[in-house]
C-alpha cells in the first residue's frame, strides 16, 4: 500500500491495552499479597455471577504465548498494568523479587518481539494491606504509591520508555468510593474528594520520582465522554454541565489548569474540602502526555435523586448500544480530542483505550465474525483521524482490549477482546476484528477508506 492512501503518519503508535487484575490470574502466586479487588470479588453479590480474577486469562503463566500472539497480529505497542501487591505484598516495605521478575520477563519478551511497552502503574488494584490503612483516603497513600513507582522506574527504567501513573482516577473514585460498585466498595461522599485528591497527589509525586530517576516519558490516563443535555430546559443543561465538570474536568483542571472546577463544591456540598495551596501547586507537576480512554457519550436530564451530580442518562431512540449499554457515538471521540486541545492546550495525546463489548457469536473452526466491533473500530479510528486533521496532536491508539477478560463488576459476561478467550480451555481465537486491526496497522489506516 503506498503512502498516498495511508491515513496515519509513519510514527503513529498502534497498540492494544489490558490491565493486571483483568487478565493475569494467579493473584497470590510467588509471594504476591492480596489486592483490594481480590477481596472485593469475595464479597457476596459484588460481581455478576460471582466471578473473580483468580484465573482470568491465565496471562501470568501464558504471557510468552500472548506476546507471540501480539507479534503475529502486528501490534507495535502494548499497554499493560503492574499489580502493586506483586511487587510489594504489603503495599510498602519489603519488595517481592519474584513478583518483579514476572514484569521483567514480560518486558523483555515485549522488547525482543519489537513491541513497545506502555506501563501503567495503577489500574485500580491497590494492595489490601494499604486499604486496611484507609487506602486512597489516607494522605500517605500518595507517598506509598510514589515509592512503589520509583522502585519500578529504577528496576525497569532502561527497558520501559512509556510510563502511565494512573488509569482513570474518575472510575476508581466514582466506582470505589461514591457508589461502592468497585473495590473497596465504599459509598461515601465524605471520602470521595479525598480519595480523588490523594490519587492526583500520588500521580504528581510519581512524576517527580520519574524526573529524578526515570527514562522516557510519563503521562496520565483519564476517561472522558461528552455530556449532552436531554433538552433545552435550564435544569437539564445545568445537569449536563455538572456531569461534565464531575467526569471530564475533576481530574484534568487541577493538573493542567491549577484548580478544581467550581461545580464540585455544589456536587459534594458540605463534603467538599478546602485543599492546601501547596497541594494545588504539587498537582501541577508537568507531565509528558495525556492518555484518553473513550467509549461513549451520555445525554443527561436533571434528576435530583441521582447522586452525586443530580443527572440521569437518557437512552436515545434509534441509537446503537453495546452490551455495556453504552451508546456507539464515534463523533464524540473527535469532539473529545478537540475539546482537550481547546481547553488544555497542545499536550501530546494518545487514545489509550477504545473498544466495545458486543454479543459475539461463539468461534467456529478458529473463526469468529464480529462485524459490529469492526464497525466500531472503523468509525472511531476515522473520528480520531478527523481530529488530527483539525490539528490535534494524537500520537497513538490502543484498542481495548487485547483479550476477552474480567470486566470488573460485570465479571466475564462482557467481551471486549480483539481475541476471544475460551474460559474453560484458555484457547485464544483472534476475532475478525483482530485481523481487521492488523490490516489497519499494516496499511496505516488505508484500509479504513474502503
Ligand atoms: C475502562 C477501564 C478498563 C475496562 C474498560 C471497558 O473504564 O479502564 O479496565 O474495564 O473500561
Amino acid at each position: 500500500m503506498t503512502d498516498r492512501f495511508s491515513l496515519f503518519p509513519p510514527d503513529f503508535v498502534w497498540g492494544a491495552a489490558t490491565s493486571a487484575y483483568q487478565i493475569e490470574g494467579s493473584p497470590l502466586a510467588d509471594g504476591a499479597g492480596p489486592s483490594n479487588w481480590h477481596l472485593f470479588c469475595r464479597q457476596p453479590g459484588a460481581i455478576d455471577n460471582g466471578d473473580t480474577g483468580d484465573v482470568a486469562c491465565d496471562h501470568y503463566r501464558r504471557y510468552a504465548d500472548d506476546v507471540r500472539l501480539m507479534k503475529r497480529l502486528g501490534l507495535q505497542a502494548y499497554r499493560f498494568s503492574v499489580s502493586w501487591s506483586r511487587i510489594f505484598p504489603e503495599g510498602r516495605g519489603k519488595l517481592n523479587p519474584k513478583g518483579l521478575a514476572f514484569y521483567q520477563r514480560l518486558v523483555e519478551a515485549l522488547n525482543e518481539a519489537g513491541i513497545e511497552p506502555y506501563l501503567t502503574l495503577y489500574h485500580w488494584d491497590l494492595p489490601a494491606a494499604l486499604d486496611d490503612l484507609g487506602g486512597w483516603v489516607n494522605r500517605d497513600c500518595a507517598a506509598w504509591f510514589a515509592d512503589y513507582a520509583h522502585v519500578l522506574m529504577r528496576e525497569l527504567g532502561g527497558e520501559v520508555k512509556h510510563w502511565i501513573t494512573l488509569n482513570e482516577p474518575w472510575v476508581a473514585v466514582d466506582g470505589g468510593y461514591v457508589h461502592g460498585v468497585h473495590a473497596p466498595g465504599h459509598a461515601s461522599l465524605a471520602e470521595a474528594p479525598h480519595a480523588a485528591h490523594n490519587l492526583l497527589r500520588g500521580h504528581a509525586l510519581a512524576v517527580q520520582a520519574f524526573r529524578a530517576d526515570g527514562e522516557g516519558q510519563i503521562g496520565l490516563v483519564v476517561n472522558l465522554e461528552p455530556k449532552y443535555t436531554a433538552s433545552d430546559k435550564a435544569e437539564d443543561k445545568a445537569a449536563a454541565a455538572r456531569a461534565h465538570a464531575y467526569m471530564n474536568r475533576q481530574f484534568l483542571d487541577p493538573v493542567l489548569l491549577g484548580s478544581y472546577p467550581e461545580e464540585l463544591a455544589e456536587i459534594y456540598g458540605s463534603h467538599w474540602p478546602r485543599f492546601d495551596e501547596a497541594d494545588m501547586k504539587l498537582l501541577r507537576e508537568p507531565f509528558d502526555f495525556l492518555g484518553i480512554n473513550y467509549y461513549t457519550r451520555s445525554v443527561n436530564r436533571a434528576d435530583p435523586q441521582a447522586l452525586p451530580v443530580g443527572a440521569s442518562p437518557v437512552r436515545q431512540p434509534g441509537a446503537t448500544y453495546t452490551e455495556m449499554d453504552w451508546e456507539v457515538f464515534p463523533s464524540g471521540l473527535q469532539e473529545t480530542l478537540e475539546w482537550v486541545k481547546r481547553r488544555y492546550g497542545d499536550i501530546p495525546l494518545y487514545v489509550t483505550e477504545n473498544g466495545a463489548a458486543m454479543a459475539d457469536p461463539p468461534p467456529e473452526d478458529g473463526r469468529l465474525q464480529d462485524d459490529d466491533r469492526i464497525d466500531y473500530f472503523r468509525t472511531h479510528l476515522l473520528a480520531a483521524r478527523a481530529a488530527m486533521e483539525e490539528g490535534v496532536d494524537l500520537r497513538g491508539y490502543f484498542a481495548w482490549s487485547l483479550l476477552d477478560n474480567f470486566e470488573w463488576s460485570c465479571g466475564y459476561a462482557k467481551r471486549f477482546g480483539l481475541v476471544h478467550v475460551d474460559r474453560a480451555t484458555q484457547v485464544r481465537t483472534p476475532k475478525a476484528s483482530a485481523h481487521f486491526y492488523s490490516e489497519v496497522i499494516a496499511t496505516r489506516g488505508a484500509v479504513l477508506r474502503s
Side-chain angles (χ1 to χ4, degrees):
M1 201 65 64
T2 63
D3 276 352
R4 198 152 58 91
F5 295 103
S6 301
L7 290 179
F8 292 82
D11 57 355
F12 193 81
V13 176
W14 296 98
T18 63
S19 87
Y21 192 75
Q22 293 182 275
I23 65 164
E24 288 177 355
S26 310
L28 303 179
D30 296 330
S35 70
N36 58 349
W37 270 93
H38 182 73
L39 299 190
F40 187 62
C41 289
R42 280 156 175 77
Q43 289 184 16
I47 313 293
D48 291 355
N49 194 38
D51 288 342
T52 73
D54 287 2
V55 175
C57 305
D58 199 21
H59 173 79
Y60 189 73
R61 300 190 306 168
R62 293 167 192 260
Y63 76 92
D65 287 343
D66 287 339
V67 172
R68 278 190 282 275
L69 173 61
M70 291 179 222
K71 190 175 163 90
R72 277 204 301 282
L73 293 176
L75 298 187
Q76 301 169 349
Y78 174 52
R79 173 175 174 245
F80 64 97
S81 77
V82 172
S83 160
W84 182 347
S85 57
R86 288 196 197 282
I87 311 296
F88 288 103
E90 300 281 318
R92 61 198 176 134
K94 202 163 169 325
L95 181 119
N96 174 33
K98 285 189 175 170
L100 177 62
F102 167 68
Y103 294 105
Q104 285 168 326
R105 290 195 301 273
L106 172 63
V107 163
E108 195 184 317
L110 289 166
N111 283 330
E112 268 174 29
I115 300 166
E116 189 74 33
Y118 279 63
L119 186 156
T120 304
L121 290 156
Y122 185 71
H123 199 125
W124 308 350
D125 46 347
L126 186 75
L130 298 185
D131 239 350
D132 292 343
L133 300 174
W136 287 107
V137 179
N138 185 333
R139 271 183 77 81
D140 293 341
C141 203
W144 300 329
F145 173 66
D147 289 347
Y148 143 74
H150 204 165
V151 166
L152 278 187
M153 287 162 188
R154 273 199 295 241
E155 296 291 339
L156 296 174
E159 312 296 317
V160 177
K161 297 285 190 284
H162 292 88
W163 296 78
I164 290 158
T165 54
L166 309 175
N167 176 71
E168 299 190 357
W170 182 81
V171 175
V173 176
D174 184 71
Y177 291 91
V178 174
H179 295 294
V181 295
H182 280 192
H186 299 186
S188 163
L189 287 185
E191 287 185 353
H194 293 283
H197 186 69
N198 290 331
L199 275 156
L200 286 183
R201 287 178 54 247
H203 152 79
L205 292 174
V207 174
Q208 288 182 348
F210 187 75
R211 297 294 176 231
D213 255 327
E215 274 177 55
Q217 304 208 314
I218 191 158
L220 170 71
V221 165
V222 291
N223 57 299
L224 302 178
E225 53 185 57
K227 299 293 183 188
Y228 282 67
T229 176
S231 80
D232 281 339
K233 283 195 236 152
E235 72 240 41
D236 289 343
K237 284 187 182 168
R242 283 194 304 274
H244 176 58
Y246 178 62
M247 183 188 277
N248 299 324
R249 294 172 46 216
Q250 177 171 193
F251 295 87
L252 290 184
D253 275 16
V255 297
L256 294 170
L257 302 178
S259 58
Y260 283 105
E262 279 173 14
E263 289 87 342
L264 293 183
E266 189 188 341
I267 291 167
Y268 283 114
S270 60
H271 300 297
W272 182 244
R274 195 182 290 273
F275 292 115
D276 218 41
E277 275 302 303
D279 274 11
M280 297 312 292
K281 187 156 173 267
L282 169 70
L283 299 197
R284 287 210 69 177
E285 183 67 35
F287 53 95
D288 304 315
F289 65 87
L290 185 67
I292 293 169
N293 294 351
Y294 177 83
Y295 289 95
T296 189
R297 71 159 171 177
S298 75
V299 181
N300 298 272
R301 68 174 172 81
D303 176 0
Q305 305 307 315
L307 289 175
V309 294
S312 277
V314 179
R315 264 182 95 87
Q316 298 306 292
T320 306
Y321 287 82
T322 70
E323 289 289 289
M324 299 296 284
D325 237 353
W326 295 347
E327 184 184 349
V328 177
F329 194 69
S331 64
L333 175 56
Q334 177 181 357
E335 183 182 339
T336 297
L337 293 168
E338 291 178 13
W339 171 75
V340 168
K341 178 183 160 75
R342 252 193 338 271
R343 182 166 181 84
Y344 301 109
D346 260 326
I347 180 160
L349 303 180
Y350 290 85
V351 172
T352 34
E353 287 181 25
N354 177 236
M358 297 294 190
D360 294 338
E364 249 179 74
D365 302 328
R367 303 169 76 87
L368 189 161
Q369 199 60 40
D370 56 338
D371 291 323
D372 42 6
R373 187 175 289 101
I374 292 178
D375 208 49
Y376 185 97
F377 283 128
R378 180 197 304 280
T379 49
H380 285 77
L381 282 165
L382 287 170
R385 164 71 201 162
M388 290 167 79
E389 271 168 6
E390 294 302 319
V392 168
D393 183 8
L394 186 66
R395 306 277 175 99
Y397 175 92
F398 291 78
W400 183 270
S401 177
L402 176 69
L403 303 169
D404 286 343
N405 60 41
F406 176 78
E407 179 45 38
W408 308 112
S409 54
C410 302
Y412 294 99
K414 309 293 183 211
R415 292 176 175 270
F416 276 90
L418 291 164
V419 176
H420 176 272
V421 177
D422 184 303
R423 297 258 69 86
T425 63
Q426 291 292 342
V427 167
R428 274 75 164 138
T429 305
K431 304 177 189 176
S433 58
H435 299 304
F436 169 77
Y437 191 47
S438 296
E439 252 187 284
V440 171
I441 298 171
T443 64
R444 279 192 277 116
V447 66
L448 298 168
R449 289 181 189 274
S450 49

